[in-house]
Amino acid sequence: MTTRQEYRAGDRIFSQGDPGDCAYIIEAGRVEISILRNGQQFPVSILGEGEIFGEMAILDGLSRSATAVALDPVRLCVISRDQLFQRVENADPVVRLLVSLLIKRTRQMNADLIGEQSPILGRLVADQGKDAINRVRFESELQKAFEAEEFSLHYQPILNLKTSTPLGFEALIRWESPTLGRVRPDLFMNVVEESSLMVPVGRWLQARAMEDLARMNRELSADYFVSINVSGRQFADPGYLEDLEVSRRKSGLRPDQIKLEATERIFMDGPLTIKMLERCREYGYQISLDDFGTGYSSLSYLREIAVDTLKIDQSFVRVLDSDPKAEAIIQSIITLAGSLGINLTAEGIEDQATLEKLVSLGCTQGQGYYFAKPMPVAELKRHLSLAS
Ligand code: C2E
Ligand code: CA
Ligand code: CA
């Protein structure tokens, strides 16, 4: 828990050599940081509103390397060791490595006062160094894989559950690596999503999915839709809608034949991302909320942003038969969607019992291995010709 502390001008906040168990962010007032040398205090800096101090001792496990005194009436926000560690640990590995190196360098500048290097910091730097190198290597492998056209798209049909008629399909990326073999998308897409690669990869996969759908609809004289997974990073790109429109016009599809699937996480990505989502919808694209019920704790965004489809997460669907709580959750999602006029798609339907249960609860659309696994476009075409 973050707490607040207040000090009067002249109060000592901590002294050099004290054990360090928290850091501080200055909310109001100024703080003087000084170090003891040859029995005398030497001021080294004066910090003001919004600045942090006291973080080094809690990150590297050593005692306070300086003294902090309030120069004015001061209000501080206190951050505990656990809170700080959590934040550093959750950061990108390259950022973590940078943080540890910066602390180490600052510590070295005061080496005469410290005498020895912290073993905890040494381990932190070594571990994070490995993580950072692995991450950077993996990103360049993905970049090469993209350039070498090792990515492809598979499609999984989405059906009307009552009639078992296909309505459209979801595009799912595949990576066939000559060295690693087939790599699961949940193992590499999070790295792609966090890197600058997401924008070009996203652009490519959207264009490919639209081309494939347009050809399929032409050849089968059908009106299927395609659902495309879009990450927050793509929506945050100011040129996103323009790129989407260029590919769509080229394909000859209507915007309402394209569903953009985003997870609830994008509602935490800030106003620009949400604005982009709204603009896409204004242009006529369908918006589908993926993994519904697993990510975001508040439903208030459903009031603010119009979405067309909610996708009930597989984790509820898979245990529908055995877990009465999952059934209660699905039932309430179905009621919620019904009263808001939103479509529902259940994913991860693996057997007939689950299908029947979903239909009896009022769910109208779904996808899952029971009907079909994701497949390459040629196979999908055969599958759909047989189904129609
Ligand atoms: P997701 O968007 O929730 O995709 C559904 C996943 O469930 C797919 O896994 C699909 O193959 C799998 N699935 C469908 N029906 C069943 C079933 O009946 N049983 C089981 N056990 N699984 C089923 P996949 O293709 O491995 O994708 C995993 C995740 O990777 C996706 O989850 C999505 O988060 C990400 N992903 C895949 N393709 C893309 C993409 O093109 N762009 C982005 N941004 N993410 C993608
Ligand atoms: Ca999806
Ligand atoms: Ca999903």
Side-chain angles (χ1 to χ4, degrees):
M1 268 273 286
T2 316
T3 50
R4 253 202 200 130
Q5 280 179 11
E6 302 205 354
Y7 293 87
R8 284 170 311 194
D11 281 355
R12 192 171 274 238
I13 301 162
F14 56 71
S15 298
Q16 191 169 325
D18 284 352
D21 55 5
C22 62
Y24 303 91
I25 297 173
I26 305 173
E27 286 188 2
R30 290 171 311 148
V31 172
E32 182 191 75
I33 308 293
S34 62
I35 53 171
L36 189 67
R37 189 165 276 166
N38 304 326
Q40 263 200 311
Q41 281 304 134
F42 285 94
V44 287
S45 60
I46 293 176
L47 305 174
E49 212 177 293
E51 290 188 284
I52 188 167
F53 66 98
E55 74 292 351
M56 288 198 290
I58 77 171
L59 279 177
D60 68 9
L62 295 176
S63 54
R64 300 283 189 203
S65 57
T67 296
V69 173
L71 289 181
D72 311 309
V74 160
R75 199 170 63 246
L76 301 174
C77 170
V78 185
I79 310 167
S80 72
R81 185 187 203 102
D82 280 352
Q83 285 176 314
L84 203 68
F85 265 115
Q86 246 173 38
R87 282 172 170 75
V88 175
E89 269 164 18
N90 291 343
D92 178 278
V94 179
V95 175
R96 276 189 285 151
L97 184 64
L98 262 175
V99 170
S100 344
L101 284 179
L102 287 174
I103 294 171
K104 195 172 159 202
R105 277 205 197 135
T106 322
R107 279 288 189 193
Q108 266 164 358
M109 278 156 50
N110 285 338
D112 53 330
L113 295 163
I114 296 190
E116 58 179 39
Q117 260 310 319
S118 148
I120 299 178
L121 184 60
R123 238 187 359 243
L124 252 176
V125 172
D127 288 352
Q128 289 168 15
K130 266 188 254 146
D131 282 357
I133 290 168
N134 284 340
R135 170 60 73 105
V136 170
R137 270 205 196 129
F138 195 36
E139 275 180 27
S140 20
E141 278 193 33
L142 287 165
Q143 171 87 43
K144 276 190 239 143
F146 179 50
E147 284 161 10
E149 300 183 3
E150 286 165 22
F151 295 150
S152 65
L153 283 181
H154 279 196
Y155 297 98
Q156 184 179 37
I158 298 173
L159 303 96
N160 174 323
L161 294 184
K162 269 200 196 135
T163 58
S164 292
T165 345
L167 304 168
F169 33 87
E170 177 175 4
L172 292 155
I173 197 163
R174 294 292 176 261
W175 177 21
E176 196 70 52
S177 155
T179 49
L180 304 168
R182 183 168 295 174
V183 188
R184 280 177 25 212
D186 46 348
L187 297 181
F188 70 87
M189 278 315 277
N190 57 341
V191 179
V192 171
E193 282 175 6
E194 283 168 21
S195 76
S196 54
L197 248 187
M198 189 62 243
V199 172
V201 169
R203 214 176 273 150
W204 162 79
L205 71 82
Q206 282 179 176
R208 168 57 56 86
M210 289 189 231
E211 261 171 50
D212 285 345
L213 172 67
R215 193 168 335 109
M216 186 87 57
N217 277 346
R218 253 194 327 270
E219 291 178 7
L220 300 178
S221 310
D223 189 16
Y224 296 119
F225 66 81
V226 67
S227 233
I228 301 171
N229 293 284
V230 186
S231 77
R233 195 169 184 119
Q234 289 172 273
F235 281 124
D237 169 21
Y240 175 74
L241 178 56
E242 218 175 312
D243 287 340
L244 189 69
E245 276 290 275
V246 169
S247 306
R248 183 191 63 78
R249 283 201 212 101
K250 214 163 137 195
S251 71
L253 293 172
R254 305 183 309 272
D256 66 280
Q257 292 173 297
I258 297 144
K259 283 197 187 198
L260 306 174
E261 268 189 29
T263 64
E264 296 164 285
R265 277 195 304 275
I266 67 147
F267 293 104
M268 288 179 272
D269 285 347
L272 285 180
T273 307
I274 295 170
K275 189 96 210 109
M276 183 59 85
L277 190 86
E278 285 175 326
R279 283 186 61 212
C280 292
R281 194 161 188 276
E282 278 160 25
Y283 268 66
Y285 292 93
Q286 303 259 317
I287 306 293
S288 182
L289 267 190
D290 206 357
D291 304 344
F292 186 74
T294 61
Y296 195 63
S297 53
S298 160
L299 291 176
S300 60
Y301 62 78
L302 287 180
R303 210 160 36 88
E304 287 150 31
I305 290 150
V307 298
D308 303 280
T309 306
L310 298 181
K311 287 190 93 168
I312 305 178
D313 191 62
Q314 314 190 10
S315 57
F316 301 122
V317 175
R318 258 193 258 139
V319 295
L320 185 57
D321 241 3
S322 55
D323 183 352
K325 281 190 188 153
E327 182 176 335
I329 292 172
I330 291 188
Q331 181 68 80
S332 48
I333 297 177
I334 292 174
T335 311
L336 175 77
S339 52
L340 292 174
I342 301 175
N343 280 319
L344 258 191
T345 302
E347 59 179 18
I349 305 171
E350 291 191 351
D351 51 53
Q352 188 161 359
T354 308
L355 167 65
E356 283 167 6
K357 189 89 171 228
L358 282 165
V359 172
S360 73
L361 290 173
C363 185
T364 49
Q365 293 183 17
Q367 66 192 97
Y369 294 173
Y370 177 66
F371 300 107
K373 288 195 169 179
M375 56 191 115
V377 68
E379 211 175 300
L380 177 76
K381 195 178 146 196
R382 276 198 299 278
H383 179 90
L384 294 175
S385 340
L386 292 175
S388 60

